[in-house]
Amino acid sequence: MPEHTSADIGALVDDGARIAAIRPVLLSAPYADPENLEVRVALPTGWRTTGLVEVTLDDGTTGLGEGYLAVFAPHVFVSTVELLTPYLVGRPAGDLAQRYRDMVLVTGYWSLQGAARHVVSAVEAALLDALGKRAGVPAYELLGGRRTDGIRLYASGGDSTCPSAMSAEIAAVAALGIGVFKIRARGHEVDKTVWTLEHAARYGVGIAVDMAQNLDDPGQSAADALAFLDAVGTGTRQPVRFLEEPLGPARAHEYPALRRAAGCPVAGGETVTTARELLERMAAGYYDMVQPDATVVGGPRQTLAVFAGALEHGVDPVVHCWGGAVCQAANYHAAFAGGGRLAEWPLPAYALRSELLVEPFRVESGRLLAPRAPGLGVRLTPETERRFAFRDDAVYRCLAMMPPAEPGRWGTD
């Protein structure tokens, strides 16, 4: 199964631009609010880190890419960028396929899958951003052109710890005209799920559930996920719109059986770091909705490889984008080039989304309209770097205990 190549998605015009410099950048900013369970458990300082790669071409044009790795291991991110830099500086910027192969060869022995792929993703996005700015066109034009004018959004958040905070999230979703809101609910949070399904229905908003098992090992089984859905169905007649990441990594082989019995679409794939693996999972019947992330899977071109495979296997491709603005932009441009019909809209407040945009994303009646700015539509200024300087304590804690459900907290009203 070959990797995706630039010829598959429209050739770039190689006008002789070369890579002059590459720089890793770590930024930290306040994230969400104290009522957010993710903050309480995994980000106790309330700050979150984003890792960027800044590429400078030989004419001075700069581009930005993002790698999700820096949320968890910022110093590993920086070290990997620094390792790759000598192999890229001085090379043609427009040959994305060859730059991708170079990076895979440099990192493949020790990280053919995993951490290095996040950095490969960031470098490719930065090159696309710079080349788009140089050409004066949005990045999706360099990916073969956009295949749609608008993409329906689902809002993503729902880690509130009390009904009042969840109500505020639902109201914000409704105000955007978005019809589906994805919450986080683990197997012991049936009451929270039932309450949210009932309350959101009053606003005309449907609820999807992210069970967040990609951070658990071995995680829950298909039987556990079905028991959760059965318990939710006993509490409410409102349907779960889709179920995301319901199985632990050690039990991923149970996805086909879960899909047959779930009664709602099953989604996943955000942590998978190669298009090849996602294509194999789709061929094996893992997902109704596959969720590649261009900051994880190897870059926008590999994201498009997943889109192509999804079309072949009758699966809906839906980009995952839980990072900063550059993450969102890289995924959205890939989705516009791939003809995406649905995409994630992260809800928690995070300044490194709005601060890095040349112009705000345009959302009308719950649909994302095609960006118009050159490249990815992002920028980094010295002032932004000063205001959001990296903090060593803004690192995601994965080894943390989830608090037990509080009886009565989510009683129906």
XYZ file of all heavy atoms in Angstrom, residues 120-201:
590
model
N 6.906 15.548 11.523
C 6.772 15.472 10.065
C 5.519 16.241 9.629
O 5.547 17.003 8.646
C 6.702 14.005 9.606
C 6.367 13.906 8.117
C 8.011 13.285 9.906
N 4.448 16.059 10.355
C 3.196 16.764 10.068
C 3.395 18.274 10.112
O 2.935 19.010 9.227
C 2.126 16.371 11.085
O 1.861 14.990 11.100
N 4.078 18.731 11.155
C 4.260 20.169 11.347
C 5.109 20.781 10.241
O 4.811 21.878 9.734
C 4.891 20.427 12.717
N 6.169 20.087 9.847
C 7.041 20.620 8.795
C 6.289 20.706 7.474
O 6.371 21.724 6.759
C 8.306 19.765 8.655
C 9.121 20.221 7.443
C 9.153 19.849 9.921
N 5.529 19.664 7.120
C 4.807 19.725 5.850
C 3.785 20.860 5.848
O 3.656 21.591 4.860
C 4.102 18.406 5.560
C 3.304 18.485 4.259
C 2.760 17.158 3.786
O 3.566 16.357 3.276
O 1.544 16.939 3.931
N 3.059 21.031 6.948
C 2.081 22.119 7.009
C 2.768 23.471 6.891
O 2.257 24.390 6.224
C 1.286 22.031 8.311
N 3.932 23.617 7.528
C 4.661 24.882 7.441
C 5.102 25.171 6.009
O 5.050 26.317 5.537
C 5.868 24.841 8.380
N 5.542 24.128 5.299
C 5.919 24.316 3.898
C 4.714 24.722 3.049
O 4.805 25.627 2.206
C 6.544 23.030 3.352
C 7.953 22.704 3.864
C 8.354 21.300 3.439
C 8.967 23.725 3.356
N 3.594 24.074 3.270
C 2.378 24.447 2.534
C 1.984 25.894 2.821
O 1.582 26.632 1.913
C 1.230 23.521 2.927
C 1.055 22.240 2.127
C 0.010 21.356 2.777
C 0.648 22.559 0.688
N 2.087 26.287 4.087
C 1.740 27.656 4.453
C 2.649 28.649 3.737
O 2.176 29.636 3.145
C 1.854 27.814 5.973
C 1.400 29.183 6.471
O 0.448 29.748 5.883
O 1.996 29.677 7.444
N 3.953 28.383 3.774
C 4.898 29.294 3.132
C 4.688 29.335 1.618
O 4.694 30.414 1.005
C 6.324 28.869 3.457
N 4.509 28.177 1.001
C 4.321 28.131 -0.454
C 3.024 28.816 -0.864
O 2.971 29.485 -1.912
C 4.341 26.678 -0.924
C 5.692 25.967 -0.813
C 5.507 24.460 -0.930
C 6.672 26.472 -1.878
N 1.964 28.635 -0.057
C 0.716 29.319 -0.356
C 0.848 30.827 -0.247
O 0.325 31.579 -1.080
N 1.563 31.286 0.777
C 1.792 32.730 0.920
C 2.629 33.248 -0.253
O 2.364 34.332 -0.789
C 2.501 33.007 2.241
C 1.631 32.797 3.469
C 2.442 32.877 4.743
C 1.568 32.665 5.976
N 2.366 32.566 7.233
N 3.630 32.490 -0.641
C 4.495 32.896 -1.762
C 3.697 33.007 -3.056
O 3.908 33.916 -3.859
C 5.624 31.877 -1.899
C 6.649 32.157 -2.988
C 7.697 31.055 -2.961
N 8.574 31.098 -4.111
C 9.778 31.678 -4.131
N 10.214 32.289 -3.035
N 10.538 31.650 -5.219
N 2.752 32.067 -3.247
C 1.939 32.075 -4.463
C 0.715 32.975 -4.353
O 0.045 33.236 -5.356
C 1.490 30.652 -4.790
N 0.393 33.410 -3.134
C -0.778 34.259 -2.930
C -2.093 33.524 -3.000
O -3.132 34.118 -3.337
N -2.089 32.218 -2.648
C -3.314 31.420 -2.717
C -3.491 30.630 -1.420
O -2.519 30.313 -0.737
C -3.290 30.436 -3.916
C -3.184 31.202 -5.225
C -2.160 29.428 -3.773
N -4.749 30.293 -1.057
C -4.961 29.429 0.108
C -4.298 28.077 -0.086
O -4.165 27.586 -1.211
C -6.491 29.295 0.177
C -7.017 30.479 -0.568
C -6.020 30.745 -1.658
N -3.899 27.466 1.013
C -3.165 26.201 0.942
C -3.940 25.109 0.211
O -3.337 24.259 -0.459
C -2.797 25.744 2.349
N -5.277 25.129 0.319
C -6.023 24.057 -0.350
C -5.840 24.088 -1.863
O -5.997 23.070 -2.534
C -7.506 24.066 0.032
C -8.243 25.371 -0.162
C -8.541 25.876 -1.418
C -8.686 26.096 0.945
C -9.228 27.072 -1.595
C -9.379 27.288 0.794
C -9.647 27.772 -0.468
O -10.332 28.952 -0.619
N -5.482 25.257 -2.421
C -5.235 25.313 -3.854
C -3.985 24.515 -4.229
O -3.875 23.993 -5.347
C -5.083 26.765 -4.309
C -6.342 27.603 -4.152
C -7.461 27.172 -5.076
O -7.237 26.320 -5.968
O -8.588 27.661 -4.907
N -3.036 24.411 -3.313
C -1.836 23.617 -3.559
C -2.063 22.141 -3.296
O -1.180 21.320 -3.559
C -0.691 24.119 -2.680
C -0.315 25.600 -2.840
C 0.853 25.940 -1.934
C 0.018 25.921 -4.292
N -3.229 21.815 -2.770
C -3.596 20.422 -2.502
C -4.610 19.908 -3.527
O -5.321 18.946 -3.287
C -4.172 20.288 -1.089
C -3.194 20.584 0.047
C -3.936 20.658 1.379
C -2.092 19.534 0.112
N -4.664 20.588 -4.667
C -5.566 20.153 -5.730
C -6.805 21.004 -5.878
O -7.631 20.737 -6.745
N -6.966 22.037 -5.030
C -8.137 22.898 -5.107
C -9.247 22.421 -4.193
O -9.343 21.233 -3.878
N -10.093 23.330 -3.775
C -11.167 22.937 -2.863
C -12.294 22.257 -3.631
O -12.579 22.589 -4.774
C -11.684 24.129 -2.073
C -12.569 25.097 -2.812
C -13.161 26.130 -1.834
N -14.153 26.965 -2.471
C -13.899 28.162 -2.992
N -12.673 28.655 -2.970
N -14.867 28.863 -3.553
N -12.911 21.300 -2.961
C -13.991 20.525 -3.567
C -15.338 20.852 -2.945
O -16.345 20.243 -3.295
C -13.689 19.037 -3.426
C -12.446 18.600 -4.194
C -12.079 17.164 -3.924
N -13.171 16.251 -4.228
C -13.191 14.960 -3.893
N -12.164 14.441 -3.223
N -14.216 14.196 -4.198
N -15.360 21.801 -2.042
C -16.608 22.226 -1.422
C -16.454 23.659 -0.945
O -15.329 24.114 -0.680
C -16.984 21.306 -0.239
O -18.236 21.724 0.315
C -15.922 21.354 0.857
N -17.564 24.379 -0.852
C -17.515 25.767 -0.387
C -17.747 25.889 1.118
O -17.434 26.919 1.708
C -18.572 26.606 -1.120
C -18.254 26.752 -2.599
O -17.049 26.822 -2.943
O -19.195 26.787 -3.408
N -18.322 24.860 1.713
C -18.613 24.919 3.144
C -18.656 23.527 3.747
O -19.021 22.559 3.081
N -18.257 23.428 5.001
C -18.220 22.153 5.712
C -19.020 22.293 7.000
O -18.796 23.218 7.801
C -16.769 21.744 6.041
C -15.960 21.572 4.744
C -16.738 20.467 6.867
C -14.477 21.325 4.986
N -19.946 21.383 7.209
C -20.733 21.388 8.434
C -19.824 21.076 9.621
O -18.937 20.236 9.554
C -21.855 20.350 8.313
C -22.875 20.362 9.432
C -24.127 19.605 8.981
N -23.791 18.334 8.352
C -23.698 17.183 9.015
N -23.890 17.139 10.334
N -23.411 16.055 8.369
N -20.044 21.771 10.719
C -19.229 21.602 11.917
C -20.000 20.876 13.014
O -21.219 21.021 13.122
C -18.786 22.964 12.464
C -17.868 23.799 11.576
C -17.688 25.189 12.174
C -16.509 23.119 11.387
N -19.275 20.102 13.812
C -19.813 19.689 15.097
C -18.938 20.308 16.176
O -17.710 20.414 16.018
C -19.875 18.158 15.229
C -18.575 17.459 15.492
C -18.097 17.284 16.796
C -17.825 16.934 14.446
C -16.900 16.630 17.033
C -16.624 16.274 14.679
C -16.167 16.125 15.977
O -14.980 15.482 16.213
N -19.548 20.786 17.238
C -18.806 21.405 18.336
C -18.253 20.318 19.235
O -18.864 19.269 19.429
C -19.709 22.339 19.123
N -17.073 20.587 19.798
C -16.389 19.593 20.603
C -15.964 20.217 21.926
O -15.317 21.259 21.953
C -15.160 19.088 19.828
O -14.543 18.022 20.484
N -16.359 19.590 23.007
C -16.036 20.088 24.353
C -16.667 19.162 25.364
O -16.353 17.983 25.444
N -17.590 19.713 26.150
C -18.421 18.862 26.984
C -17.708 18.168 28.115
O -18.151 17.108 28.558
N -16.609 18.756 28.597
C -15.934 18.185 29.762
C -16.266 18.981 31.020
O -15.508 18.970 31.992
C -14.419 18.143 29.548
C -13.811 16.801 29.946
O -14.566 15.918 30.368
O -12.585 16.649 29.835
N -17.388 19.670 30.992
C -17.818 20.437 32.158
C -18.154 19.508 33.316
O -18.635 18.386 33.122
C -19.040 21.286 31.814
O -18.692 22.331 30.928
N -17.928 19.997 34.523
C -18.104 19.167 35.717
C -19.413 19.409 36.438
O -19.670 18.788 37.468
C -16.944 19.408 36.704
O -16.922 20.802 37.069
C -15.606 19.023 36.084
N -20.255 20.307 35.918
C -21.530 20.569 36.584
C -22.557 21.009 35.547
O -22.204 21.490 34.459
C -21.369 21.631 37.671
S -20.906 23.257 37.050
N -23.846 20.897 35.848
C -24.887 21.260 34.879
C -24.845 22.712 34.430
O -25.101 22.997 33.255
C -26.180 20.937 35.638
C -25.803 19.838 36.578
C -24.413 20.184 37.024
N -24.535 23.643 35.318
C -24.544 25.053 34.912
C -23.486 25.329 33.850
O -23.740 26.041 32.865
C -24.321 25.959 36.127
O -23.071 25.693 36.739
N -22.290 24.761 34.017
C -21.240 24.958 33.026
C -21.587 24.257 31.713
O -21.329 24.786 30.625
C -19.905 24.443 33.570
N -22.184 23.074 31.788
C -22.589 22.367 30.577
C -23.690 23.137 29.853
O -23.700 23.208 28.609
C -23.057 20.952 30.906
C -23.330 20.091 29.682
S -21.829 19.632 28.774
C -21.324 18.199 29.754
N -24.600 23.723 30.606
C -25.656 24.536 29.991
C -25.066 25.687 29.198
O -25.540 26.017 28.098
C -26.597 25.072 31.066
O -27.323 24.044 31.677
N -24.021 26.315 29.740
C -23.381 27.422 29.034
C -22.733 26.936 27.739
O -22.789 27.620 26.705
C -22.340 28.079 29.935
N -22.135 25.758 27.766
C -21.546 25.202 26.551
C -22.614 24.935 25.498
O -22.442 25.247 24.312
C -20.793 23.909 26.863
C -19.478 24.083 27.593
C -18.641 22.826 27.532
O -17.980 22.596 26.503
O -18.653 22.054 28.517
N -23.720 24.346 25.909
C -24.796 24.034 24.969
C -25.346 25.312 24.346
O -25.590 25.382 23.128
C -25.908 23.244 25.673
C -25.395 21.863 26.094
C -27.137 23.091 24.760
C -26.322 21.125 27.034
N -25.516 26.347 25.148
C -26.016 27.622 24.632
C -25.043 28.206 23.608
O -25.458 28.772 22.588
C -26.240 28.598 25.778
N -23.735 28.066 23.859
C -22.744 28.577 22.914
C -22.798 27.816 21.597
O -22.653 28.402 20.517
C -21.347 28.474 23.530
N -23.015 26.507 21.668
C -23.138 25.696 20.465
C -24.356 26.143 19.658
O -24.276 26.338 18.432
C -23.236 24.206 20.826
C -23.538 23.372 19.591
C -21.950 23.723 21.495
N -25.484 26.294 20.337
C -26.708 26.704 19.653
C -26.552 28.078 19.002
O -27.052 28.313 17.894
C -27.875 26.704 20.636
N -25.836 28.984 19.672
C -25.641 30.326 19.128
C -24.837 30.307 17.831
O -25.005 31.183 16.976
C -24.938 31.203 20.160
N -23.971 29.323 17.661
C -23.193 29.183 16.433
C -23.999 28.527 15.311
O -23.532 28.445 14.173
C -21.936 28.354 16.695
C -20.823 29.017 17.501
C -19.785 27.987 17.930
C -20.162 30.126 16.690
N -25.176 28.035 15.633
C -25.982 27.336 14.641
C -25.504 25.929 14.379
O -25.872 25.311 13.374
N -24.675 25.384 15.267
C -24.144 24.033 15.121
C -25.129 23.037 15.710
O -25.631 23.239 16.817
C -22.759 23.920 15.796
C -21.745 24.798 15.049
C -22.282 22.477 15.842
C -20.372 24.855 15.688
N -25.384 21.960 14.992
C -26.448 21.048 15.393
C -26.027 19.858 16.218
O -26.874 19.145 16.765
N -24.712 19.594 16.325
C -24.226 18.446 17.091
C -23.105 18.909 18.013
O -22.189 19.631 17.592
C -23.720 17.319 16.178
C -23.096 16.185 17.007
C -24.852 16.770 15.319
N -23.177 18.471 19.256
C -22.196 18.812 20.281
C -21.628 17.528 20.850
O -22.369 16.688 21.359
C -22.889 19.631 21.386
C -22.018 20.010 22.554
C -20.674 20.295 22.408
C -22.570 20.089 23.818
C -19.887 20.659 23.493
C -21.801 20.454 24.914
C -20.455 20.744 24.751
N -20.307 17.369 20.732
C -19.648 16.172 21.269
C -19.154 16.442 22.678
O -18.392 17.380 22.907
C -18.480 15.762 20.377
C -17.813 14.450 20.800
C -16.622 14.126 19.920
C -15.431 15.029 20.230
N -14.291 14.781 19.329
N -19.605 15.608 23.619
C -19.156 15.720 25.000
C -18.200 14.580 25.310
O -18.109 13.605 24.574
C -20.340 15.687 25.984
C -21.006 14.299 25.982
C -21.358 16.774 25.635
C -22.008 14.087 27.101
N -17.487 14.715 26.412
C -16.689 13.597 26.926
C -17.460 12.929 28.049
O -17.943 13.596 28.973
C -15.336 14.094 27.437
C -14.393 14.526 26.330
C -13.038 14.865 26.876
N -12.144 15.294 25.811
C -10.880 15.675 26.010
N -10.379 15.674 27.233
N -10.125 16.052 25.001
N -17.564 11.633 27.944
C -18.225 10.861 28.998
C -17.588 9.485 29.058
O -17.528 8.786 28.049
C -19.729 10.752 28.750
N -17.098 9.140 30.223
C -16.507 7.819 30.414
C -17.602 6.849 30.840
O -18.751 7.226 31.044
C -15.392 7.885 31.446
C -14.173 8.718 31.013
C -14.420 10.193 31.136
N -13.280 11.015 30.702
C -13.345 12.337 30.591
N -14.486 12.988 30.856
N -12.292 13.016 30.221
N -17.219 5.599 30.989
C -18.227 4.578 31.247
C -19.044 4.796 32.494
O -20.197 4.358 32.569
N -18.494 5.509 33.490
C -19.217 5.731 34.746
C -20.048 7.011 34.706
O -20.648 7.378 35.714
C -18.226 5.800 35.913
C -17.283 6.973 35.859
N -16.186 6.996 35.036
C -17.280 8.149 36.512
C -15.547 8.145 35.191
N -16.190 8.864 36.073
N -20.103 7.683 33.545
C -20.790 8.974 33.471
C -22.085 8.888 32.661
O -22.384 9.741 31.833
C -19.845 10.019 32.875
C -18.662 10.324 33.787
C -17.711 11.347 33.200
O -17.174 11.095 32.099
O -17.511 12.394 33.834
N -22.866 7.878 32.951
C -24.166 7.721 32.283
C -25.092 8.877 32.633
O -25.764 9.444 31.759
C -24.798 6.370 32.662
C -26.236 6.281 32.150
C -23.969 5.220 32.106
N -25.144 9.246 33.916
C -26.048 10.320 34.339
C -25.724 11.634 33.628
O -26.625 12.364 33.211
C -25.965 10.513 35.848
C -26.599 9.372 36.620
O -27.294 8.549 35.995
O -26.385 9.304 37.850
N -24.448 11.931 33.507
C -24.032 13.148 32.794
C -24.506 13.101 31.346
O -25.013 14.102 30.809
C -22.513 13.280 32.850
C -21.934 14.361 31.946
C -20.421 14.341 31.957
C -19.849 15.318 30.941
N -18.372 15.353 30.953
N -24.348 11.965 30.712
C -24.732 11.824 29.308
C -26.234 11.984 29.133
O -26.698 12.705 28.238
C -24.270 10.460 28.775
O -22.870 10.308 29.010
C -24.556 10.331 27.287
N -27.000 11.332 29.987
C -28.466 11.430 29.903
C -28.906 12.864 30.114
O -29.744 13.398 29.371
C -29.118 10.487 30.923
C -30.616 10.755 31.026
C -28.870 9.027 30.542
N -28.346 13.522 31.143
C -28.724 14.917 31.424
C -28.434 15.791 30.205
O -29.273 16.615 29.800
C -27.953 15.446 32.635
C -28.348 16.835 33.024
C -29.268 17.194 33.960
C -27.858 18.069 32.465
N -29.387 18.568 34.021
C -28.521 19.126 33.105
C -26.921 18.371 31.482
C -28.277 20.460 32.809
C -26.673 19.714 31.168
C -27.339 20.730 31.825
N -27.260 15.627 29.608
C -26.868 16.482 28.498
C -27.713 16.207 27.256
O -28.105 17.142 26.539
C -25.376 16.298 28.187
O -24.608 16.456 29.385
C -24.907 17.318 27.178
N -28.004 14.946 26.975
C -28.879 14.619 25.851
C -30.245 15.291 26.006
O -30.780 15.876 25.054
C -29.056 13.103 25.757
C -27.915 12.323 25.102
C -27.970 10.853 25.510
C -27.998 12.448 23.584
N -30.812 15.211 27.190
C -32.134 15.799 27.428
C -32.085 17.321 27.344
O -32.948 17.956 26.731
C -32.641 15.359 28.802
C -33.012 13.891 28.885
C -34.320 13.593 28.162
O -35.244 14.418 28.238
O -34.401 12.529 27.516
N -31.081 17.917 27.983
C -31.013 19.375 28.023
C -30.713 19.954 26.644
O -31.312 20.960 26.241
C -29.931 19.812 29.024
C -29.981 21.265 29.370
N -30.855 21.778 30.309
C -29.287 22.326 28.887
C -30.684 23.081 30.405
N -29.734 23.441 29.548
N -29.785 19.344 25.905
C -29.416 19.859 24.590
C -30.579 19.769 23.607
O -30.700 20.608 22.703
C -28.206 19.097 24.052
N -31.428 18.763 23.773
C -32.565 18.597 22.866
C -33.481 19.815 22.904
O -34.127 20.146 21.899
C -33.337 17.336 23.224
